[in-house]
Amino acid sequence: MLYIGPHVSISKDIGLAPERAAENGAGAFAIFTKNQKIWEAKPLSPQSAGFFKSNLEKHGYDGARVLAHAGYLINPASPDPELRRKSLRLLSEEITRCNLLGLDKINIHPGAYIEGDRKDGILRAASFFDEVLEDNNFTISIENTSASGTNLGGALEELLEIIVAARNRDRIGVTLDTAHLYGYGYDVRNKASATLERAAALFGGEKILGMHLNDSKAALASRKDRHESIGRGQIGAEAFLEIAASPFAQDKPLILETPDETLWPQEIRLLTSARS
Ligand code: ZN
Ligand code: MN
Ligand code: MN
């Protein structure tokens, strides 16, 4: 089964997110667990969490259809002890929120190593995820990136290196973002299935916990991350139909992080028509 839907806003009340997804005809959706641009988080009230869970059920979703996205300030690969400490605290806090909301996994970028050796950054990210997973019985899904600047995780092999270096690798999976794949240099326009097969061969198909389906404004191998609506970018609609028909896209949240929300219903309808 295909479960496709957008990253929806949590403004006003996080409990409104499921109906925002349902209004678009979504079978899955993504949320931030808190304002993604600040370190601080007001504790999640039991009322909001309860409202979210009852709304989730009311609209026919369960926690497995929701792919939470961790905030952008968290840098798992940071060489700065203070930033690392703050990042650890915030990711733990976000996981606590996921637990209260009945969600089972959180998507996060592998981080930027900033300075020094790339390899040290990889090891810092692995030990970061280990530390978080030791305190929390939870699943982390690391998202591939377009590898701008010193960001890790452009090459899928590099994501695998992080996972393999972690003791708690059984609770770490991956999210494949198509715009990031393309920006890094995987030609998903012409080789959509082959790219997914390559990822599945590398990680194991069951390790692909979700996908971010975004067309790309940025060119192949530009190392840029610019999302575009499905079919309006460099990747093109055909590649997304191929991805949606792939066995590796079934039964997991496929999230649209596309810029024009008025197009979400038709993007969902288009992709859902591509059943394998
Ligand atoms: Zn992301
Ligand atoms: Mn993404
Ligand atoms: Mn992106």
Side-chain angles (χ1 to χ4, degrees):
M1 274 285 279
L2 280 167
Y3 298 108
I4 305 174
H7 186 127
V8 294
S9 162
I10 57 164
S11 69
K12 303 264 195 317
D13 195 313
I14 199 166
L16 296 169
E19 64 195 63
R20 287 176 175 148
E23 281 163 10
N24 287 280
F29 65 95
I31 50 168
F32 292 118
T33 73
K34 56 174 281 297
N35 182 333
Q36 78 278 19
K37 292 173 188 151
I38 58 171
W39 287 105
E40 300 72 29
K42 261 186 282 164
L44 182 64
S45 71
Q47 288 80 0
S48 268
F51 180 38
F52 180 91
K53 286 201 274 192
S54 63
N55 235 350
L56 199 64
E57 203 185 307
K58 178 177 159 195
H59 292 287
Y61 302 111
D62 63 45
R65 304 274 169 265
V66 184
L67 185 54
H69 196 307
Y72 293 127
L73 295 173
I74 299 171
N75 183 359
S78 174
D80 177 329
E82 170 68 7
L83 188 63
R84 181 180 176 88
R85 201 178 51 74
K86 284 168 81 175
S87 293
L88 281 166
R89 196 180 345 138
L90 183 51
L91 184 55
S92 276
E93 167 63 27
E94 291 212 35
I95 289 174
T96 301
R97 296 165 94 85
C98 286
N99 279 321
L100 290 168
L101 297 169
L103 311 183
D104 59 2
K105 54 191 170 295
I106 190 160
N107 174 87
I108 185 165
H109 299 190
Y113 66 93
I114 311 290
E115 60 189 17
D117 262 18
R118 187 172 199 95
K119 182 74 193 172
D120 292 336
I122 290 170
L123 297 177
R124 285 195 296 270
S127 82
F128 180 95
F129 294 130
D130 264 339
E131 219 171 299
V132 170
L133 290 173
E134 254 136 54
D135 294 344
N136 300 282
N137 186 14
F138 210 68
T139 298
I140 287 174
S141 195
I142 313 178
E143 180 177 358
N144 70 296
T145 72
S146 59
S148 63
T150 65
N151 280 296
L152 299 172
L156 296 177
E157 286 78 5
E158 197 165 88
L159 285 187
L160 184 65
E161 268 189 80
I162 295 171
I163 295 171
V164 168
R167 286 185 305 281
N168 295 292
R169 61 185 79 93
D170 291 354
R171 287 184 284 142
I172 306 176
V174 295
T175 305
L176 298 177
D177 183 307
T178 52
H180 300 176
L181 283 168
Y182 195 75
Y184 179 71
Y186 293 96
D187 186 2
V188 278
R189 179 185 181 89
N190 296 301
K191 296 178 180 162
S193 304
T195 306
L196 294 186
E197 279 155 24
R198 182 168 165 187
L202 207 57
F203 300 107
E206 76 291 347
K207 285 288 220 186
I208 302 172
L209 302 181
M211 294 187 196
H212 289 169
L213 299 182
N214 304 308
D215 211 325
S216 177
K217 253 200 253 290
L220 179 68
S222 60
R223 299 281 174 111
K224 285 194 180 121
D225 176 10
R226 302 272 184 279
H227 299 190
E228 182 53 285
S229 299
I230 302 296
R232 301 190 177 200
Q234 304 271 322
I235 298 174
E238 229 175 290
F240 287 100
L241 291 172
E242 197 177 315
I243 289 168
S246 160
F248 304 114
Q250 310 306 308
D251 304 319
K252 55 192 75 166
L254 308 177
I255 305 301
L256 298 164
E257 299 176 313
T258 47
D260 184 349
E261 58 181 280
T262 68
L263 297 176
W264 287 344
Q266 68 191 70
E267 288 175 319
I268 293 165
R269 276 197 305 275
L270 171 77
L271 296 173
T272 310
S273 73
R275 282 166 205 291
S276 51

